[in-house]
């Protein structure tokens, strides 16, 4: 329909019989108008989606060329959103590098410094096609995930592993690509190709790291090292133009060095912070007597250099179980207080930067009446409320995700506020054509919770406190938008004497 070419995930999913492919996931390609209508019916005011590089550009053997049919799909999606007064929020890279470009380069993909120029061409196309209609942009979604899992452990595309340097090198080129994309973005704002009020950043993810023993200096240092190796790895370069000092110390010559020019371009390459968060961990050095993971068992490079052992904290609520009786996400545990700690950690890096909480959600299963998911949102949103009360400038909160979707090799983990009724052949390597009756969307209880907030514009507990306080104005958390497959809140100030809401962001 749109002429999309294969990506590295099309190749990677077919390398193992146990790995599902996403030839068809939620089929939004054909159902976007109905989905946008549901968003509108639920009172949602914005939508975050990711552009597929291999849908809007193709490789002819020597260069990347625009694909008009793929561009037209996204233009129609943006138009449908705007007609419903839903703000489109665009992510430019969500892990699906065009396969032909990846294989044409030597070294391949993000290991090659020339990828910076190709990414610049790609982002330039997007700015010219959609710059007048899109206000919020992110260059990359979770670079930590696709470089550590794809170039370090080899469990994600493109499946590379057993290198002391590949993860760092891929991340280095991602950061340089981000800086180039932001530089072009700002130049095109000056020429009004990109709208004047547009804002750009990079979506970073981080689980909070608690010391296993808060009274043990080694555990405290290891926990902070984990935060710097995860969030600081990408945050420090865009703020200061340099990698964290502890990474330089522990990674040594495995870690590339920015030139003076590169550092200058990176520094300040953000208009706001964007943060994904799901869970928290307890940390101890891998060589401590409490460690369950010997240092020599850690994967070479980033993991071994960081030199930590990690486990879920006691009391964390484990993810929903799958049909085999195991937990769908072994890495996951609901631990709400870690969310606030992560927000605080990021805020301390630049106290003036607004924070958009771009992903947060429960790893569930095919259960529709998932009360754990409802608990997760209620509990984590309370932490957002606590952050607002501390004066942290949170621009919004988002929940992952609007629909169940493809979770990188599997359809078993379910994060959706709406359950999707997948047919047995979903994930087939050969692909299939869904029937109109396939892929039905069914609201979970958490969707109703979010919808009530969307329609009343207030978080219920904050609303009650606002009514009880004698203060003439009271900050309450109010719903504003859906981002990607995500839902988000904006901070409003409600005046008790008025019936309207004044947006203060």
């Amino acid at each position: 329909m749109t002429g999309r070419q294969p990506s590295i995930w099309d190749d990677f999913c077919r390398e193992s019989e146990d790995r599902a492919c996403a030839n068809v996931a939620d089929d939004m390609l054909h159902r976007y108008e109905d989905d946008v209508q549901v968003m509108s019916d639920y009172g949602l005011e914005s939508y975050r989606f990711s552009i597929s590089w291999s849908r809007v550009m193709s490789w002819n053997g020597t260069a990347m060329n625009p694909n008009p049919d793929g561009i037209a799909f996204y233009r129609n999606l943006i138009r449908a959103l705007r007609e419903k007064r839903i703000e489109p929020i665009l992510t430019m890279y969500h892990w699906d590098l065009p396969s032909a470009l990846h294989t044409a380069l030597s070294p391949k993909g993000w290991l090659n410094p020339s990828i910076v120029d190709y990414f610049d061409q790609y982002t330039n196309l997007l700015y010219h096609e959609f710059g007048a209609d899109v206000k919020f942009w992110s260059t990359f979604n979770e670079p930590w995930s696709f470089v550590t899992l794809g170039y370090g452990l080899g469990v994600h595309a493109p499946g590379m592993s057993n290198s002391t340097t590949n993860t760092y090198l891929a991340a280095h080129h991602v950061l340089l690509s981000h800086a180039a994309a932001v530089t072009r973005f700002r130049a095109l704002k000056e020429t009004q190709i990109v709208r004047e009020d547009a804002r750009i950043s990079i979506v970073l993810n981080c689980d909070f790291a608690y010391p296993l023993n808060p009274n043990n200096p080694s555990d405290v240092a290891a926990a902070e090292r984990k935060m710097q190796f995860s969030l600081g790895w990408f945050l420090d370069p865009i703020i200061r133009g340099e990698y964290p000092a502890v990474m330089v110390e522990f990674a040594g010559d495995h870690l590339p060095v920015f030139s003076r020019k590169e550092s200058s371009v990176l520094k300040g390459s953000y208009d706001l912070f964007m943060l994904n968060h799901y869970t928290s961990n307890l940390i101890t050095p891998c060589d401590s007597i409490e460690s369950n993971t010997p240092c020599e068992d850690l994967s070479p490079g980033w993991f071994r250099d960081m030199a930590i052992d990690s486990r879920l904290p006691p009391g964390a609520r484990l993810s929903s179980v799958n049909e085999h009786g195991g937990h769908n996400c072994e890495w996951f545990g609901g631990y709400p207080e870690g969310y606030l700690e992560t927000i605080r950690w990021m805020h301390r890096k630049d106290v003036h930067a607004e924070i958009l909480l771009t992903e947060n959600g429960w790893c569930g299963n095919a259960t529709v009446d998932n009360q754990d998911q409802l608990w997760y949102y209620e509990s984590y949103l309370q932490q957002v409320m606590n952050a607002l009360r501390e004066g942290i400038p949170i621009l919004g909160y988002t929940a992952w995700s609007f629909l169940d979707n493809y979770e990188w090799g599997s359809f078993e983990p379910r994060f959706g506020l709406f359950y999707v009724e997948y047919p047995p052949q979903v994930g087939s390597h050969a692909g299939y054509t869904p029937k109109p009756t396939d892929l039905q969307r069914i609201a979970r209880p958490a969707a109703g919770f979010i919808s009530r907030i969307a329609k009343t514009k207030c978080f219920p507990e904050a609303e009650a406190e606002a009514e009880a306080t004698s203060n003439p104005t009271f900050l309450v958390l109010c719903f504003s938008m859906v981002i990607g497959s995500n839902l988000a809140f904006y901070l409003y100030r409600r005046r008790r004497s008025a019936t309207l809401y004044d947006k203060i962001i």
Side-chain angles (χ1 to χ4, degrees), residues 403-458:
L403 303 175
D404 289 339
N405 52 36
Y406 179 66
E407 290 296 333
W408 308 108
S410 176
F411 284 89
E412 289 196 5
R414 305 277 195 127
F415 285 85
L417 293 169
F418 284 77
Y419 163 85
V420 177
E421 192 171 14
Y422 293 120
Q425 61 270 41
V426 71
S428 165
H429 290 190
Y432 77 103
T433 301
K435 301 174 183 177
T437 54
D438 291 338
L439 307 173
Q440 296 301 304
R441 284 82 154 119
I442 302 173
R444 289 189 167 99
F449 170 71
I450 295 297
S451 182
R452 286 193 299 274
I453 296 176
K455 291 176 179 178
T456 63
K457 298 298 184 191
C458 289

Side-chain angles (χ1 to χ4, degrees), residues 68-376:
D69 290 339
I71 292 169
F73 164 70
Y74 291 110
R75 185 177 294 116
N76 290 336
L77 171 60
I78 291 170
R79 183 181 298 114
L81 293 166
R82 291 175 64 86
E83 286 175 353
K84 295 293 183 180
R85 297 185 179 181
I86 297 173
E87 187 77 55
I89 301 179
L90 192 155
T91 296
M92 292 187 277
Y93 187 82
H94 202 139
W95 311 358
D96 58 341
L97 185 66
S99 178
L101 176 59
H102 170 78
T103 56
L105 300 177
S106 181
K108 294 181 178 180
W110 291 104
L111 299 180
N112 197 303
S114 63
I115 196 72
V116 178
D117 292 331
Y118 287 113
F119 190 74
D120 183 46
Q121 295 173 35
Y122 166 59
T123 61
N124 184 52
L125 172 68
L126 299 187
Y127 297 148
H128 277 83
E129 293 291 343
F130 312 123
D133 295 318
V134 176
K135 181 177 180 180
F136 290 98
W137 298 73
S138 62
T139 53
F140 293 90
N141 182 72
E142 293 192 6
W144 178 92
S145 295
F146 75 82
V147 299
T148 59
L149 302 180
Y151 291 85
L153 293 180
V155 296
H156 277 193
M160 297 183 183
S161 60
N162 297 315
S163 169
T164 59
T165 59
N166 277 355
T167 298
Y168 297 116
L169 189 59
H172 194 73
H173 294 148
V174 165
L175 281 162
L176 295 178
S177 298
H178 163 80
V182 173
T183 298
R184 183 172 293 276
F185 177 87
R186 290 173 173 170
L188 292 176
K189 284 180 71 173
E190 295 295 325
T191 62
Q192 299 183 334
I193 298 298
V194 172
R195 56 191 282 180
E196 184 179 5
D197 62 349
R199 306 175 73 183
I200 193 168
S201 189
I202 182 171
V203 173
L204 305 179
N205 64 303
C206 186
D207 306 331
F208 191 71
Y210 288 97
L212 180 64
N213 180 355
N215 296 316
N216 183 331
S218 295
D219 287 359
V220 172
E224 178 62 17
R225 186 163 69 248
K226 170 65 166 61
M227 296 298 295
Q228 295 288 358
F229 263 73
S230 300
L231 190 50
W233 186 9
F234 298 94
L235 199 56
D236 275 28
I238 68 172
I239 297 173
R240 302 187 299 110
E242 301 175 357
Y243 288 117
V246 71
M247 289 192 72
V248 175
E249 176 186 356
F250 276 73
D253 59 7
H254 295 168
L255 188 68
V257 177
F258 294 116
S259 69
R260 185 172 299 178
K261 180 179 179 181
E262 290 168 343
S263 178
S264 176
V265 176
L266 266 167
K267 188 175 181 180
S269 58
Y270 63 97
D271 297 327
L272 70 161
F273 289 158
M274 296 179 177
L275 175 67
N276 294 356
H277 172 87
Y278 289 90
T279 190
S280 296
N281 293 283
L282 299 180
I283 305 298
T284 191
C286 61
D287 59 359
S288 76
I289 60 173
E290 300 294 336
S291 174
N292 296 324
T293 308
C295 297
E296 59 269 21
D297 289 352
L298 294 170
S299 180
W302 185 87
F303 293 92
R304 193 174 296 172
D305 292 343
M306 184 170 55
I308 62 150
D309 172 77
S310 176
R311 67 197 71 174
L312 292 173
R317 188 175 296 200
L318 303 183
S319 66
S320 301
V321 298
N322 56 39
E323 59 183 11
H324 307 294
H327 291 282
N328 263 335
C329 299
E330 295 290 346
W331 54 269
F332 177 95
Y335 198 76
E337 45 266 59
Y339 198 16
L340 178 57
E341 295 295 347
T342 308
I343 294 169
R344 287 169 172 163
W345 197 94
M346 177 177 250
H347 174 60
R348 287 194 293 269
K349 288 287 186 175
D350 179 354
V351 297
H352 302 293
E354 291 180 306
I355 302 174
L356 179 60
L357 304 171
T358 38
E359 285 183 29
N360 177 239
W362 174 261
C363 179
N365 55 20
T367 302
V368 174
D369 185 17
N370 195 319
Q371 295 298 314
D372 286 330
Q373 183 190 51
L374 180 60
W375 165 84
Y376 187 95

Side-chain angles (χ1 to χ4, degrees), residues 4 6-17 19-23 406 427-431:
R4 185 183 74 84
S7 77
I8 56 174
W9 267 96
D10 291 299
D11 301 333
F12 185 71
C13 73
R14 287 169 171 80
E15 294 175 1
S16 171
E17 293 182 359
R19 198 176 292 142
C21 292
N23 305 290
Y406 179 66
S428 165
H429 290 190

Side-chain angles (χ1 to χ4, degrees), residues 25-49 73 77 80-81 84 86 402-405 418-422 438-443 482 484-487:
D26 296 328
D27 196 28
M28 195 179 190
L29 189 68
H30 300 96
R31 306 176 190 222
Y32 71 90
E33 291 177 309
D34 291 339
D35 286 336
V36 169
Q37 183 61 55
V38 172
M39 296 174 203
S40 179
D41 292 343
Y42 270 68
L44 312 184
E45 296 177 3
S46 66
Y47 177 68
R48 177 186 173 215
F49 62 95
F73 164 70
L77 171 60
L81 293 166
K84 295 293 183 180
I86 297 173
F402 181 56
L403 303 175
D404 289 339
N405 52 36
F418 284 77
Y419 163 85
V420 177
E421 192 171 14
Y422 293 120
D438 291 338
L439 307 173
Q440 296 301 304
R441 284 82 154 119
I442 302 173
V482 62
S485 294
N486 308 344
L487 299 173

